[in-house]
Amino acid sequence: MAEPPAAAAKSGHGLQQTASQPSSNTVYRILLAISFVHLFNDSIQSVIVAIFPILKETMNLSYAQIGWISFAINFTASILQPVVGLFSDKRPTPLLLPLGMCFTFTGMLLLAFAPNYVMVLVSVIFVGLGSAAFHPEGSRVAHMAAGSRKGLAQSIFQVGGNAGQSLAPLLTKWIFIPFGQIGALGFTVVAAAGIAVQSFIAKWYGTTLKQGYAFTKRTSGTINPVFKKKVMWATAILVLVVTIRSWYVSAIGTYYAFYLIEAYHLTIDQAQIYIFLFLGAGAAGTFFGGPLADRFGRRNLIVASLLGAIPFALALPYLPLIGAAIVLILTGFVLMSSFSTAVIYAQLLHPGSIGTVSGLITGLAFGMGGIGSLMLGNFIDTFGIHDVMIAAGFLPIFGLLTLALPTDTKVRAWTNQA
């Protein structure tokens, strides 16, 4: 497959645009490689969630302390992802890809032998640093390799991450229940494989940069000053919607297993199957969401995703187990179909700032999920898990705000894009 053509030269401190534009060909080998690394990265992150039941029992942790662990990794990633994205927009840095996975490797090694709660927090912060380094540059690589199929490319990239996250309950069932905390040691092998693949991607990334692939705003449009306030208002709505979605996903991914144990008297390993249904369906929704957005519009897909999840979320706490399993699958698929699309829509709102907005939206998903986990953990300690899970079912109602988002056509007009 054709690579982006040589068209520019380095000038000053950054890469400057010349006459030609990036190739419209899609480089699938790079998209698949970066998706696999996303799978490695987020499956390692899912270890943190997977080990919660073990840490709660062996270290006698409260729900609030579990929330702080989730907050530590997610907040670290969310704070640094936009910073890394802003830096890489000005100076793309292929070395960040393998370097980030080195941080992740260190985090897993520390977690396997962490003797206390404080060291657990330190280890997950290292994993968060690795995630912060990976995601903006990974999203940029997906954008570079996308050609004309931006939605499909972002879906291929993001589905790797969401598939990795969906493994958390299976890891609990098959690794951490039988082996305990030391089971985290095996994931240093996954991190090592990630470093190897990242080195391959970084080589392609660096070569493409040398060929002159440009990232300046002139390649894709600029925000018309007349519409700047409208663009910022649309961005604020998108950020709020992503926040609400992240809180609900955290409620299910982090605490619903405990709800199943208490309300339905399931064992820890039995409860993990239901969480996997939700997260696995979410990974499928992430993949199909991008192509659907390419066909029906990004704004339309985001609206359908958030509004479509409302009845399922409200009904979930009241259903028998079989009904809960079905609704978890439907909710995960519908709600997460907007995951990659939200990133593409943000890039549409802010052309030329691929790394920054990718870091903002994906970082926000991590960070707000961490804050949501922390808040929910404290609420559960105070009010009980049953009442909090019922209350969480009302969160998707805020998806009604998506109706205020401008259409794709309107956004292109605001940002001088064809």
Side-chain angles (χ1 to χ4, degrees):
M1 295 183 185
E3 309 284 7
K10 289 185 178 179
S11 176
H13 293 290
L15 206 65
Q16 302 298 322
Q17 165 81 8
T18 60
S20 79
Q21 298 293 321
S23 168
S24 62
N25 293 313
T26 303
V27 189
Y28 286 102
R29 72 179 188 279
I30 296 300
L31 287 176
L32 291 174
I34 199 67
S35 182
F36 271 112
V37 174
H38 205 175
L39 171 66
F40 296 159
N41 183 86
D42 285 24
S43 65
I44 292 172
Q45 283 187 213
S46 73
V47 167
I48 310 304
V49 177
I51 207 171
F52 281 163
I54 306 305
L55 294 178
K56 187 177 188 300
E57 181 177 340
T58 59
M59 296 187 180
N60 196 28
L61 303 182
S62 67
Y63 286 111
Q65 287 175 308
I66 289 174
W68 276 111
I69 297 172
S70 180
F71 175 81
I73 181 173
N74 293 330
F75 193 68
T76 302
S78 70
I79 287 291
L80 293 181
Q81 276 196 46
V83 175
V84 172
L86 181 62
F87 170 80
S88 61
D89 278 335
K90 296 179 180 179
R91 189 186 294 273
T93 309
L95 183 62
L96 281 176
L97 293 171
L99 182 62
M101 194 60 73
C102 289
F103 277 100
T104 302
F105 178 95
T106 303
M108 281 296 98
L109 190 61
L110 291 174
L111 180 62
F113 298 102
N116 53 49
Y117 178 62
V118 173
M119 282 306 299
V120 169
L121 290 174
V122 171
S123 66
V124 301
I125 286 172
F126 268 94
V127 177
L129 290 171
S131 177
F134 166 70
H135 281 92
E137 287 288 57
S139 188
R140 179 188 303 282
V141 168
H143 184 84
M144 290 170 65
S148 61
R149 307 197 68 181
K150 303 300 183 187
L152 175 63
Q154 195 63 220
S155 284
I156 292 174
F157 171 61
Q158 297 292 354
V159 74
N162 285 349
Q165 292 173 20
S166 74
L167 295 177
L170 300 184
L171 298 179
T172 302
K173 181 180 177 67
W174 292 334
I175 295 179
F176 293 111
I177 289 177
F179 297 106
Q181 186 177 337
I182 195 66
L185 188 62
F187 291 89
T188 58
V189 178
V190 178
I195 293 170
V197 180
Q198 289 284 53
S199 299
F200 162 73
I201 295 169
K203 182 178 180 180
W204 177 86
Y205 184 4
T207 300
T208 306
L209 289 175
K210 290 177 182 178
Q211 289 176 334
Y213 192 100
F215 294 98
T216 62
K217 293 181 180 180
R218 290 188 293 274
T219 62
S220 54
T222 56
I223 298 174
N224 188 324
V226 175
F227 301 111
K228 187 173 182 179
K229 288 185 178 179
K230 292 185 176 181
V231 169
M232 297 311 295
W233 176 245
T235 303
I237 293 174
L238 183 64
V239 164
L240 183 56
V241 167
V242 169
T243 298
I244 298 301
R245 185 189 65 197
S246 297
W247 284 357
Y248 185 75
V249 172
S250 289
I252 302 300
T254 305
Y255 297 110
Y256 189 69
F258 297 109
Y259 176 80
L260 288 168
I261 292 168
E262 181 176 305
Y264 298 95
H265 309 292
L266 300 184
T267 62
I268 292 176
D269 58 332
Q270 288 172 337
Q272 303 311 309
I273 299 300
Y274 292 83
I275 309 305
F276 174 73
L277 292 176
F278 174 78
L279 297 175
T286 297
F287 177 76
F288 287 104
L292 288 172
D294 282 342
R295 180 171 181 179
F296 298 107
R298 295 155 189 173
R299 183 262 189 187
N300 294 338
L301 193 283
I302 293 172
V303 171
S305 169
L306 272 295
L307 298 190
I310 292 173
F312 301 133
L314 290 172
L316 181 60
Y318 304 100
L319 298 172
L321 271 176
I322 185 63
I326 294 171
V327 166
L328 283 168
I329 293 171
L330 294 173
T331 307
F333 185 91
V334 171
L335 191 63
M336 296 305 289
S337 64
S338 63
F339 192 92
S340 60
T341 307
V343 176
I344 296 294
Y345 187 81
Q347 292 172 352
L348 189 67
L349 283 167
H350 298 275
S353 299
I354 303 302
T356 304
V357 297
S358 298
L360 175 64
I361 298 301
T362 58
L364 187 73
F366 285 120
M368 291 300 101
I371 292 173
S373 291
L374 179 59
M375 293 171 58
L376 288 167
N378 281 280
F379 288 152
I380 291 170
D381 282 339
T382 303
F383 302 106
I385 195 164
H386 187 269
D387 290 343
V388 172
M389 293 309 300
I390 290 175
F394 287 87
L395 286 172
I397 291 177
F398 287 93
L400 290 167
L401 291 169
T402 59
L403 295 172
L405 290 172
T407 64
D408 296 10
T409 301
K410 189 173 290 186
V411 172
R412 288 191 181 95
W414 291 355
T415 55
N416 300 315
Q417 298 179 76

